[in-house]
Amino acid sequence: MLELSKLTKTYGGRTVLSDLSHVFEAGRFVAIMGESGVGKSTLLNLIAGLDAPDSGAVIVDGTAMAALDDDAATRLRRTRMGFIFQAFHVLPHLTLQQNVALPLLLNQENAREGAAHAETMLAAVGLAGRGQDFPRQLSGGELQRVAIARALVHKPALLLADEPTGNLDPETAGGILRLLRAEIKANGAGAIMVTHSHAAAEMADEILILSRDGLKRA
Ligand SMILES: Nc1ncnc2c1ncn2[C@@H]1O[C@H](COP(=O)(O)OP(=O)(O)OP(=O)(O)O)[C@@H](O)[C@H]1O
């Protein structure tokens, strides 16, 4: 369970998020939509711990993230969360198998088991036998499937995704989102997905709109 309590974030004197509170239930797939510049990515970054709020708290399973030291916060993020962010693209100099195994290695899983586990996950996203390929050999849609495999390989309780199908054609995007939904549901994971696409948002269990008044059901 993830609780946001009175989150406020300002940039250079401009308030982007003001006293925002919301409870995200475990295991629910939620889409967040809203006008450009309203603060959707900012909100996701605060939840991910990539940025800190000016005030308020991000509370994961009853623990306020700010109450943890850096190591504990990093550990919690690595084990409990998965990320599909534009900035965390697939690394070009690693094979697909190495890319997907990365969260497992960071979580101290041994390399051989990690590699086998990564291959299983690649197969689950339709890339069986491609583990030794490099990202340059893949299409945009295939790369996005690698990002999904990497985000879910360590079975996080919560997936955070920022425009996971932003640069894909509608048909490919639909396939990716069906896959994303199937994988999180198979793992019992929750997800928070920021998107401008109504078709993408329709794949979620619930759509929330972020505005100056906070998060409201669509
Ligand atoms: N690191 C930063 N420094 C300064 N201003 C920032 C920073 N990050 C975001 N902002 C500002 O905060 C506001 C919200 O940005 P954010 O990217 O969260 O909006 P968004 O709703 O995700 O927009 P879009 O839908 O266009 O991606 C914008 O005005 C943006 O310029």
mmCIF file with all atom_site columns, all heavy atoms in Angstrom, residues 39-58:
data_model
loop_
_atom_site.group_PDB
_atom_site.id
_atom_site.type_symbol
_atom_site.label_atom_id
_atom_site.label_alt_id
_atom_site.label_comp_id
_atom_site.label_asym_id
_atom_site.label_entity_id
_atom_site.label_seq_id
_atom_site.pdbx_PDB_ins_code
_atom_site.Cartn_x
_atom_site.Cartn_y
_atom_site.Cartn_z
_atom_site.occupancy
_atom_site.B_iso_or_equiv
_atom_site.pdbx_formal_charge
_atom_site.auth_seq_id
_atom_site.auth_comp_id
_atom_site.auth_asym_id
_atom_site.auth_atom_id
_atom_site.pdbx_PDB_model_num
ATOM 1   N N   . GLY A 1 39 ? 2.041  18.365 -13.327 1.00 0.00 ? 39 GLY A N   1
ATOM 2   C CA  . GLY A 1 39 ? 2.898  17.775 -12.295 1.00 0.00 ? 39 GLY A CA  1
ATOM 3   C C   . GLY A 1 39 ? 2.860  16.253 -12.206 1.00 0.00 ? 39 GLY A C   1
ATOM 4   O O   . GLY A 1 39 ? 3.270  15.680 -11.203 1.00 0.00 ? 39 GLY A O   1
ATOM 5   N N   . LYS A 1 40 ? 2.428  15.577 -13.286 1.00 0.00 ? 40 LYS A N   1
ATOM 6   C CA  . LYS A 1 40 ? 2.317  14.116 -13.256 1.00 0.00 ? 40 LYS A CA  1
ATOM 7   C C   . LYS A 1 40 ? 3.693  13.448 -13.090 1.00 0.00 ? 40 LYS A C   1
ATOM 8   O O   . LYS A 1 40 ? 3.853  12.557 -12.258 1.00 0.00 ? 40 LYS A O   1
ATOM 9   C CB  . LYS A 1 40 ? 1.640  13.612 -14.547 1.00 0.00 ? 40 LYS A CB  1
ATOM 10  C CG  . LYS A 1 40 ? 0.257  14.208 -14.781 1.00 0.00 ? 40 LYS A CG  1
ATOM 11  C CD  . LYS A 1 40 ? -0.383 13.684 -16.047 1.00 0.00 ? 40 LYS A CD  1
ATOM 12  C CE  . LYS A 1 40 ? 0.348  14.058 -17.321 1.00 0.00 ? 40 LYS A CE  1
ATOM 13  N NZ  . LYS A 1 40 ? 0.431  15.523 -17.568 1.00 0.00 ? 40 LYS A NZ  1
ATOM 14  N N   . SER A 1 41 ? 4.652  13.891 -13.901 1.00 0.00 ? 41 SER A N   1
ATOM 15  C CA  . SER A 1 41 ? 5.985  13.281 -13.800 1.00 0.00 ? 41 SER A CA  1
ATOM 16  C C   . SER A 1 41 ? 6.633  13.644 -12.470 1.00 0.00 ? 41 SER A C   1
ATOM 17  O O   . SER A 1 41 ? 7.333  12.827 -11.863 1.00 0.00 ? 41 SER A O   1
ATOM 18  C CB  . SER A 1 41 ? 6.882  13.732 -14.963 1.00 0.00 ? 41 SER A CB  1
ATOM 19  O OG  . SER A 1 41 ? 6.343  13.257 -16.177 1.00 0.00 ? 41 SER A OG  1
ATOM 20  N N   . THR A 1 42 ? 6.390  14.876 -12.013 1.00 0.00 ? 42 THR A N   1
ATOM 21  C CA  . THR A 1 42 ? 6.905  15.294 -10.706 1.00 0.00 ? 42 THR A CA  1
ATOM 22  C C   . THR A 1 42 ? 6.379  14.357 -9.625  1.00 0.00 ? 42 THR A C   1
ATOM 23  O O   . THR A 1 42 ? 7.137  13.884 -8.768  1.00 0.00 ? 42 THR A O   1
ATOM 24  C CB  . THR A 1 42 ? 6.464  16.749 -10.406 1.00 0.00 ? 42 THR A CB  1
ATOM 25  O OG1 . THR A 1 42 ? 7.000  17.590 -11.429 1.00 0.00 ? 42 THR A OG1 1
ATOM 26  C CG2 . THR A 1 42 ? 6.933  17.209 -9.048  1.00 0.00 ? 42 THR A CG2 1
ATOM 27  N N   . LEU A 1 43 ? 5.082  14.065 -9.679  1.00 0.00 ? 43 LEU A N   1
ATOM 28  C CA  . LEU A 1 43 ? 4.470  13.178 -8.694  1.00 0.00 ? 43 LEU A CA  1
ATOM 29  C C   . LEU A 1 43 ? 5.105  11.790 -8.743  1.00 0.00 ? 43 LEU A C   1
ATOM 30  O O   . LEU A 1 43 ? 5.455  11.212 -7.700  1.00 0.00 ? 43 LEU A O   1
ATOM 31  C CB  . LEU A 1 43 ? 2.961  13.090 -8.966  1.00 0.00 ? 43 LEU A CB  1
ATOM 32  C CG  . LEU A 1 43 ? 2.161  12.167 -8.048  1.00 0.00 ? 43 LEU A CG  1
ATOM 33  C CD1 . LEU A 1 43 ? 2.269  12.621 -6.604  1.00 0.00 ? 43 LEU A CD1 1
ATOM 34  C CD2 . LEU A 1 43 ? 0.699  12.142 -8.487  1.00 0.00 ? 43 LEU A CD2 1
ATOM 35  N N   . LEU A 1 44 ? 5.280  11.256 -9.951  1.00 0.00 ? 44 LEU A N   1
ATOM 36  C CA  . LEU A 1 44 ? 5.885  9.930  -10.089 1.00 0.00 ? 44 LEU A CA  1
ATOM 37  C C   . LEU A 1 44 ? 7.326  9.931  -9.565  1.00 0.00 ? 44 LEU A C   1
ATOM 38  O O   . LEU A 1 44 ? 7.756  8.975  -8.920  1.00 0.00 ? 44 LEU A O   1
ATOM 39  C CB  . LEU A 1 44 ? 5.842  9.517  -11.568 1.00 0.00 ? 44 LEU A CB  1
ATOM 40  C CG  . LEU A 1 44 ? 5.649  8.043  -11.880 1.00 0.00 ? 44 LEU A CG  1
ATOM 41  C CD1 . LEU A 1 44 ? 4.415  7.470  -11.204 1.00 0.00 ? 44 LEU A CD1 1
ATOM 42  C CD2 . LEU A 1 44 ? 5.579  7.809  -13.372 1.00 0.00 ? 44 LEU A CD2 1
ATOM 43  N N   . ASN A 1 45 ? 8.049  11.018 -9.831  1.00 0.00 ? 45 ASN A N   1
ATOM 44  C CA  . ASN A 1 45 ? 9.425  11.116 -9.336  1.00 0.00 ? 45 ASN A CA  1
ATOM 45  C C   . ASN A 1 45 ? 9.477  11.148 -7.813  1.00 0.00 ? 45 ASN A C   1
ATOM 46  O O   . ASN A 1 45 ? 10.391 10.579 -7.198  1.00 0.00 ? 45 ASN A O   1
ATOM 47  C CB  . ASN A 1 45 ? 10.112 12.366 -9.896  1.00 0.00 ? 45 ASN A CB  1
ATOM 48  C CG  . ASN A 1 45 ? 10.450 12.220 -11.368 1.00 0.00 ? 45 ASN A CG  1
ATOM 49  O OD1 . ASN A 1 45 ? 10.485 11.108 -11.892 1.00 0.00 ? 45 ASN A OD1 1
ATOM 50  N ND2 . ASN A 1 45 ? 10.681 13.333 -12.040 1.00 0.00 ? 45 ASN A ND2 1
ATOM 51  N N   . LEU A 1 46 ? 8.503  11.803 -7.189  1.00 0.00 ? 46 LEU A N   1
ATOM 52  C CA  . LEU A 1 46 ? 8.460  11.847 -5.721  1.00 0.00 ? 46 LEU A CA  1
ATOM 53  C C   . LEU A 1 46 ? 8.179  10.449 -5.170  1.00 0.00 ? 46 LEU A C   1
ATOM 54  O O   . LEU A 1 46 ? 8.798  10.019 -4.191  1.00 0.00 ? 46 LEU A O   1
ATOM 55  C CB  . LEU A 1 46 ? 7.383  12.817 -5.225  1.00 0.00 ? 46 LEU A CB  1
ATOM 56  C CG  . LEU A 1 46 ? 7.597  14.307 -5.523  1.00 0.00 ? 46 LEU A CG  1
ATOM 57  C CD1 . LEU A 1 46 ? 6.431  15.130 -4.959  1.00 0.00 ? 46 LEU A CD1 1
ATOM 58  C CD2 . LEU A 1 46 ? 8.912  14.813 -4.941  1.00 0.00 ? 46 LEU A CD2 1
ATOM 59  N N   . ILE A 1 47 ? 7.245  9.735  -5.813  1.00 0.00 ? 47 ILE A N   1
ATOM 60  C CA  . ILE A 1 47 ? 6.918  8.372  -5.364  1.00 0.00 ? 47 ILE A CA  1
ATOM 61  C C   . ILE A 1 47 ? 8.141  7.467  -5.535  1.00 0.00 ? 47 ILE A C   1
ATOM 62  O O   . ILE A 1 47 ? 8.453  6.653  -4.675  1.00 0.00 ? 47 ILE A O   1
ATOM 63  C CB  . ILE A 1 47 ? 5.715  7.800  -6.156  1.00 0.00 ? 47 ILE A CB  1
ATOM 64  C CG1 . ILE A 1 47 ? 4.455  8.615  -5.859  1.00 0.00 ? 47 ILE A CG1 1
ATOM 65  C CG2 . ILE A 1 47 ? 5.499  6.331  -5.809  1.00 0.00 ? 47 ILE A CG2 1
ATOM 66  C CD1 . ILE A 1 47 ? 3.258  8.281  -6.761  1.00 0.00 ? 47 ILE A CD1 1
ATOM 67  N N   . ALA A 1 48 ? 8.851  7.655  -6.647  1.00 0.00 ? 48 ALA A N   1
ATOM 68  C CA  . ALA A 1 48 ? 10.018 6.819  -6.946  1.00 0.00 ? 48 ALA A CA  1
ATOM 69  C C   . ALA A 1 48 ? 11.220 7.184  -6.081  1.00 0.00 ? 48 ALA A C   1
ATOM 70  O O   . ALA A 1 48 ? 12.202 6.448  -6.046  1.00 0.00 ? 48 ALA A O   1
ATOM 71  C CB  . ALA A 1 48 ? 10.385 6.959  -8.421  1.00 0.00 ? 48 ALA A CB  1
ATOM 72  N N   . GLY A 1 49 ? 11.159 8.334  -5.399  1.00 0.00 ? 49 GLY A N   1
ATOM 73  C CA  . GLY A 1 49 ? 12.296 8.777  -4.591  1.00 0.00 ? 49 GLY A CA  1
ATOM 74  C C   . GLY A 1 49 ? 13.390 9.420  -5.415  1.00 0.00 ? 49 GLY A C   1
ATOM 75  O O   . GLY A 1 49 ? 14.514 9.589  -4.961  1.00 0.00 ? 49 GLY A O   1
ATOM 76  N N   . LEU A 1 50 ? 13.085 9.775  -6.665  1.00 0.00 ? 50 LEU A N   1
ATOM 77  C CA  . LEU A 1 50 ? 14.072 10.444 -7.516  1.00 0.00 ? 50 LEU A CA  1
ATOM 78  C C   . LEU A 1 50 ? 14.149 11.919 -7.166  1.00 0.00 ? 50 LEU A C   1
ATOM 79  O O   . LEU A 1 50 ? 15.064 12.627 -7.574  1.00 0.00 ? 50 LEU A O   1
ATOM 80  C CB  . LEU A 1 50 ? 13.696 10.299 -8.997  1.00 0.00 ? 50 LEU A CB  1
ATOM 81  C CG  . LEU A 1 50 ? 13.655 8.869  -9.514  1.00 0.00 ? 50 LEU A CG  1
ATOM 82  C CD1 . LEU A 1 50 ? 13.168 8.826  -10.957 1.00 0.00 ? 50 LEU A CD1 1
ATOM 83  C CD2 . LEU A 1 50 ? 15.030 8.229  -9.396  1.00 0.00 ? 50 LEU A CD2 1
ATOM 84  N N   . ASP A 1 51 ? 13.147 12.392 -6.432  1.00 0.00 ? 51 ASP A N   1
ATOM 85  C CA  . ASP A 1 51 ? 13.075 13.783 -6.023  1.00 0.00 ? 51 ASP A CA  1
ATOM 86  C C   . ASP A 1 51 ? 12.422 13.786 -4.635  1.00 0.00 ? 51 ASP A C   1
ATOM 87  O O   . ASP A 1 51 ? 11.713 12.840 -4.298  1.00 0.00 ? 51 ASP A O   1
ATOM 88  C CB  . ASP A 1 51 ? 12.218 14.562 -7.035  1.00 0.00 ? 51 ASP A CB  1
ATOM 89  C CG  . ASP A 1 51 ? 12.607 16.029 -7.081  1.00 0.00 ? 51 ASP A CG  1
ATOM 90  O OD1 . ASP A 1 51 ? 13.323 16.480 -6.163  1.00 0.00 ? 51 ASP A OD1 1
ATOM 91  O OD2 . ASP A 1 51 ? 12.171 16.714 -8.036  1.00 0.00 ? 51 ASP A OD2 1
ATOM 92  N N   . ALA A 1 52 ? 12.671 14.815 -3.850  1.00 0.00 ? 52 ALA A N   1
ATOM 93  C CA  . ALA A 1 52 ? 12.103 14.874 -2.495  1.00 0.00 ? 52 ALA A CA  1
ATOM 94  C C   . ALA A 1 52 ? 11.045 15.968 -2.432  1.00 0.00 ? 52 ALA A C   1
ATOM 95  O O   . ALA A 1 52 ? 11.210 17.034 -3.031  1.00 0.00 ? 52 ALA A O   1
ATOM 96  C CB  . ALA A 1 52 ? 13.208 15.157 -1.489  1.00 0.00 ? 52 ALA A CB  1
ATOM 97  N N   . PRO A 1 53 ? 9.943  15.731 -1.699  1.00 0.00 ? 53 PRO A N   1
ATOM 98  C CA  . PRO A 1 53 ? 8.933  16.785 -1.551  1.00 0.00 ? 53 PRO A CA  1
ATOM 99  C C   . PRO A 1 53 ? 9.456  17.889 -0.633  1.00 0.00 ? 53 PRO A C   1
ATOM 100 O O   . PRO A 1 53 ? 10.352 17.658 0.179   1.00 0.00 ? 53 PRO A O   1
ATOM 101 C CB  . PRO A 1 53 ? 7.756  16.056 -0.901  1.00 0.00 ? 53 PRO A CB  1
ATOM 102 C CG  . PRO A 1 53 ? 8.367  14.898 -0.186  1.00 0.00 ? 53 PRO A CG  1
ATOM 103 C CD  . PRO A 1 53 ? 9.588  14.505 -0.969  1.00 0.00 ? 53 PRO A CD  1
ATOM 104 N N   . ASP A 1 54 ? 8.890  19.094 -0.763  1.00 0.00 ? 54 ASP A N   1
ATOM 105 C CA  . ASP A 1 54 ? 9.236  20.181 0.168   1.00 0.00 ? 54 ASP A CA  1
ATOM 106 C C   . ASP A 1 54 ? 8.631  19.877 1.533   1.00 0.00 ? 54 ASP A C   1
ATOM 107 O O   . ASP A 1 54 ? 9.218  20.165 2.567   1.00 0.00 ? 54 ASP A O   1
ATOM 108 C CB  . ASP A 1 54 ? 8.688  21.517 -0.342  1.00 0.00 ? 54 ASP A CB  1
ATOM 109 C CG  . ASP A 1 54 ? 9.264  21.875 -1.692  1.00 0.00 ? 54 ASP A CG  1
ATOM 110 O OD1 . ASP A 1 54 ? 10.367 21.391 -2.001  1.00 0.00 ? 54 ASP A OD1 1
ATOM 111 O OD2 . ASP A 1 54 ? 8.596  22.611 -2.445  1.00 0.00 ? 54 ASP A OD2 1
ATOM 112 N N   . SER A 1 55 ? 7.432  19.321 1.511   1.00 0.00 ? 55 SER A N   1
ATOM 113 C CA  . SER A 1 55 ? 6.794  18.876 2.753   1.00 0.00 ? 55 SER A CA  1
ATOM 114 C C   . SER A 1 55 ? 5.831  17.750 2.413   1.00 0.00 ? 55 SER A C   1
ATOM 115 O O   . SER A 1 55 ? 5.508  17.524 1.247   1.00 0.00 ? 55 SER A O   1
ATOM 116 C CB  . SER A 1 55 ? 6.064  20.041 3.428   1.00 0.00 ? 55 SER A CB  1
ATOM 117 O OG  . SER A 1 55 ? 5.064  20.533 2.570   1.00 0.00 ? 55 SER A OG  1
ATOM 118 N N   . GLY A 1 56 ? 5.386  17.051 3.446   1.00 0.00 ? 56 GLY A N   1
ATOM 119 C CA  . GLY A 1 56 ? 4.516  15.904 3.225   1.00 0.00 ? 56 GLY A CA  1
ATOM 120 C C   . GLY A 1 56 ? 5.329  14.630 3.159   1.00 0.00 ? 56 GLY A C   1
ATOM 121 O O   . GLY A 1 56 ? 6.565  14.667 3.236   1.00 0.00 ? 56 GLY A O   1
ATOM 122 N N   . ALA A 1 57 ? 4.626  13.506 3.008   1.00 0.00 ? 57 ALA A N   1
ATOM 123 C CA  . ALA A 1 57 ? 5.325  12.225 3.093   1.00 0.00 ? 57 ALA A CA  1
ATOM 124 C C   . ALA A 1 57 ? 4.837  11.231 2.051   1.00 0.00 ? 57 ALA A C   1
ATOM 125 O O   . ALA A 1 57 ? 3.666  11.229 1.670   1.00 0.00 ? 57 ALA A O   1
ATOM 126 C CB  . ALA A 1 57 ? 5.125  11.629 4.486   1.00 0.00 ? 57 ALA A CB  1
ATOM 127 N N   . VAL A 1 58 ? 5.781  10.398 1.590   1.00 0.00 ? 58 VAL A N   1
ATOM 128 C CA  . VAL A 1 58 ? 5.467  9.224  0.774   1.00 0.00 ? 58 VAL A CA  1
ATOM 129 C C   . VAL A 1 58 ? 5.629  8.027  1.712   1.00 0.00 ? 58 VAL A C   1
ATOM 130 O O   . VAL A 1 58 ? 6.711  7.792  2.248   1.00 0.00 ? 58 VAL A O   1
ATOM 131 C CB  . VAL A 1 58 ? 6.443  9.104  -0.420  1.00 0.00 ? 58 VAL A CB  1
ATOM 132 C CG1 . VAL A 1 58 ? 6.193  7.805  -1.186  1.00 0.00 ? 58 VAL A CG1 1
ATOM 133 C CG2 . VAL A 1 58 ? 6.317  10.311 -1.334  1.00 0.00 ? 58 VAL A CG2 1
#
